[in-house]
C-alpha cells in the first residue's frame, strides 16, 4: 500500500520505472497543478525526482509523436481537427 513507502522511496520507485521503460517515452505535460507557472512546477519536479541531468534533458526534449514533423503523413494518422 501507499503507506509502506516514504515519498522519497516512491519517487525512487517511479524513476526506476522510468528507467526501465525509457526516458524517451515520457513527456512534460500541461496537466500540472495550475497554482503555479509551468516553469516553476517543472523546476520543482526536477529537484524532487532523483534523475540525472542527462535523464532530465531527455524528458525535456521529448516531443509527442503527433507534434513531430511528418507524423501525420508517415503514419496515416488523423488528428481530431481532421474529423
Amino acid at each position: 500500500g501507499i503507506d509502506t513507502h516514504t515519498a522519497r522511496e516512491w519517487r525512487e520507485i517511479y524513476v526506476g520505472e522510468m528507467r526501465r521503460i525509457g526516458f524517451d517515452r515520457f513527456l512534460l505535460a500541461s496537466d500540472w497543478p495550475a497554482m503555479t507557472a509551468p516553469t516553476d512546477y517543472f523546476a520543482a519536479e526536477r529537484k524532487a525526482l532523483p534523475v540525472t541531468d542527462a535523464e532530465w534533458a531527455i524528458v525535456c526534449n521529448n516531443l509527442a509523436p503527433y507534434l513531430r514533423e511528418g507524423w501525420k503523413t508517415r503514419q496515416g494518422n488523423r488528428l481530431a481537427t481532421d474529423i
Side-chain angles (χ1 to χ4, degrees):
I2 198 159
D3 295 332
T4 61
H5 297 289
T6 65
R8 180 176 179 225
E9 290 169 333
W10 279 118
R11 286 190 293 271
E12 289 172 358
I13 292 167
Y14 176 64
V15 169
E17 286 300 300
M18 291 175 79
R19 288 183 177 123
R20 185 182 66 77
I21 294 166
F23 282 92
D24 60 321
R25 309 240 350 169
F26 289 85
L27 300 169
L28 294 176
S30 61
D31 58 348
W32 77 96
M35 297 172 273
T36 183
T39 54
D40 295 338
Y41 173 69
F42 294 141
E45 286 294 300
R46 171 60 185 101
K47 187 176 179 180
L49 293 174
V51 296
T52 67
D53 290 341
E55 291 167 335
W56 187 249
I58 292 169
V59 174
C60 289
N61 289 306
N62 285 341
L63 188 62
Y66 51 83
L67 295 176
R68 294 180 190 149
E69 184 68 34
W71 175 83
K72 183 177 168 185
T73 55
R74 278 196 317 269
Q75 304 297 324
N77 294 307
R78 292 174 36 166
L79 302 176
T81 55
D82 296 336
I83 299 172

